[in-house]
Amino acid sequence: MTHYFKIYDNMIKCMLKIKKSMMQSLYSLVSLTTSDIALTILICTGINSQKRNTFIKAFTHMCFNIILCRYLKMLFMIPLSPHLNILDYAYPSGHMFAATSFYGTLAMESNRAWLHLATLTMLILYGQALVFFGYHNIDDVQTAFCFAMLSLFLYKNIDSIHKNIKLPLFIILSIIINMTMQPGIIPLQRIEHIWLELGLLCGIGLAQHYPISKNRFHITTIIHSMLGGLFYLIGLGLHATLLPFNGALALTGLSFSFWSLTPHTRSYLQKKLEQIGYMKTITS
């Protein structure tokens, strides 16, 4: 009888190991959706599609909410788990805040129920992944999700009042937050990313002044934006080694968002220069 109990016990342990391995694979796959590379590819593709304005809105919300989340972290000052050996604050979860801001905006801009359900499922799995891998506890994740969703509803109301006031407001608030934020007991490098987000917001605002061609939805415009994404990732790497100051990080963000959002800037400027040259020829 004891022999059978041991066999049963070993089977249960084996099944638990398989279940844990499957969950780990699933959580790792879901976590890829918020990696720098995945988001860069998604943004560069989305802004050159028919859903351009939706992706720009999601990109904008994510950038500002990352700064807002860092402000909340510095306000609550709840440290990460000691086993991570990272001197930083955990509450609310920055990764969950950013993911909810980006994917939540994409879902809210759509009327498709299946997309709402799929996005909610993905965000729940991502939150569970952060807890599973030990980066956060459930309170960090839930608070980040709630704050992010509340902010998205607020931004939707702002859009209904005046569409063009939100981005300048984001940039002004970001400058105030960035200039007044103190690192406290954590290393300065932990809060430097807020300058990257400010640069991204400024690049988005600058790109709004350039008209977009009607024939913009083409593979060449996607490749153009992808090149900007590649330079962006290289810039992040250089910042960590050769250019460790906030100005370089802000410039990296501005360059990426401006480059990616204006795939026809060169042709537009060329046409303007040709017009100027043509007018000079006539007048002379």
Side-chain angles (χ1 to χ4, degrees), residues 3 10 22 28 34 39 41 53 89 98 100 126 154 199 218 220 234 241 254 277:
H3 177 67
N10 289 334
M22 291 177 61
S28 298
T34 60
L39 284 173
I41 293 174
N53 292 334
Y89 300 126
T100 304
Y126 182 60
L154 175 62
H218 194 269
T220 56
I234 292 174
T241 54
L254 186 148

Side-chain angles (χ1 to χ4, degrees), residues 6 16 19-20 43 75 88 140 147 155 193 209 260 276 279:
K6 287 183 178 179
L16 289 174
K19 181 181 178 181
K20 184 177 180 180
I43 290 170
L75 187 65
D88 199 357
D140 302 338
F147 270 123
Y155 302 155
H193 65 278
H209 297 284
S260 301
I276 293 172
M279 291 301 295

Side-chain angles (χ1 to χ4, degrees), residues 4 19 72 93 140 157 164 173 186 192 202 219 248 264 268:
Y4 288 115
K19 181 181 178 181
L72 293 174
S93 167
D140 302 338
N157 289 330
N164 297 326
L173 290 175
I186 66 174
E192 282 183 329
C202 291
I219 188 64
H264 289 276
Y268 170 71

Side-chain angles (χ1 to χ4, degrees), residues 17-256:
K17 286 182 180 179
I18 293 174
K19 181 181 178 181
K20 184 177 180 180
S21 178
M22 291 177 61
M23 294 303 295
Q24 185 172 357
S25 300
L26 176 62
Y27 290 149
S28 298
L29 182 63
V30 172
S31 298
L32 289 176
T33 59
T34 60
S35 66
D36 287 339
I37 295 176
L39 284 173
T40 300
I41 293 174
L42 188 58
I43 290 170
C44 290
T45 305
I47 60 180
N48 291 294
S49 70
Q50 298 291 339
K51 298 293 183 180
R52 173 184 173 86
N53 292 334
T54 299
F55 275 87
I56 292 177
K57 184 178 291 188
F59 188 23
T60 304
H61 290 172
M62 181 181 68
C63 291
F64 179 71
N65 275 0
I66 289 175
I67 297 176
L68 179 61
C69 184
R70 173 49 66 177
Y71 175 78
L72 293 174
K73 281 177 180 285
M74 306 305 288
L75 187 65
F76 293 114
M77 293 191 295
I78 299 176
L80 287 166
S81 177
H83 80 275
L84 293 173
N85 292 321
I86 300 175
L87 188 58
D88 199 357
Y89 300 126
Y91 183 88
S93 167
H95 288 85
M96 190 66 189
F97 213 121
T100 304
S101 301
F102 183 76
Y103 291 105
T105 301
L106 294 180
M108 289 176 65
E109 291 296 310
S110 172
N111 295 323
R112 296 182 176 89
W114 67 265
L115 182 59
H116 295 175
L117 181 60
T119 302
L120 180 61
T121 302
M122 188 273 286
L123 290 174
I124 290 173
L125 288 174
Y126 182 60
Q128 291 177 338
L130 292 173
V131 176
F132 179 83
F133 291 120
Y135 296 121
H136 290 282
N137 59 40
I138 193 67
D139 291 335
D140 302 338
V141 171
Q142 288 180 344
T143 303
F145 177 81
C146 291
F147 270 123
M149 289 305 300
L150 284 173
S151 71
L152 295 185
F153 283 110
L154 175 62
Y155 302 155
K156 196 174 185 68
N157 289 330
I158 293 176
D159 283 333
S160 65
I161 297 172
H162 199 295
K163 288 185 177 181
N164 297 326
I165 197 174
K166 186 174 62 180
L167 183 57
L169 180 63
F170 281 174
I171 293 175
I172 293 172
L173 290 175
S174 297
I175 292 173
I176 294 173
I177 292 173
N178 290 10
M179 294 297 291
T180 57
M181 186 179 296
Q182 299 295 324
I185 63 171
I186 66 174
L188 181 62
Q189 291 79 7
R190 294 293 173 193
I191 67 170
E192 282 183 329
H193 65 278
I194 61 178
W195 292 97
L196 173 68
E197 310 307 327
L198 175 59
L200 290 169
L201 289 172
C202 291
I204 294 171
L206 186 62
Q208 304 301 314
H209 297 284
Y210 291 85
I212 302 299
S213 170
K214 294 180 180 179
N215 301 319
R216 66 183 181 274
F217 309 120
H218 194 269
I219 188 64
T220 56
T221 62
I222 296 177
I223 293 173
H224 180 281
S225 294
M226 289 292 187
L227 282 174
L230 177 62
F231 297 147
Y232 166 70
L233 295 173
I234 292 174
L236 291 182
L238 290 175
H239 172 75
T241 54
L242 301 177
L243 303 169
F245 55 93
N246 296 333
L249 204 54
L251 184 60
T252 299
L254 186 148
S255 302
F256 166 62

Side-chain angles (χ1 to χ4, degrees), residues 248-275:
L249 204 54
L251 184 60
T252 299
L254 186 148
S255 302
F256 166 62
S257 54
F258 179 73
W259 175 300
S260 301
L261 291 171
T262 54
H264 289 276
T265 300
R266 182 180 177 184
S267 60
Y268 170 71
L269 292 176
Q270 186 176 358
K271 289 179 181 178
K272 285 296 183 183
L273 290 174
E274 289 175 353
Q275 291 176 1

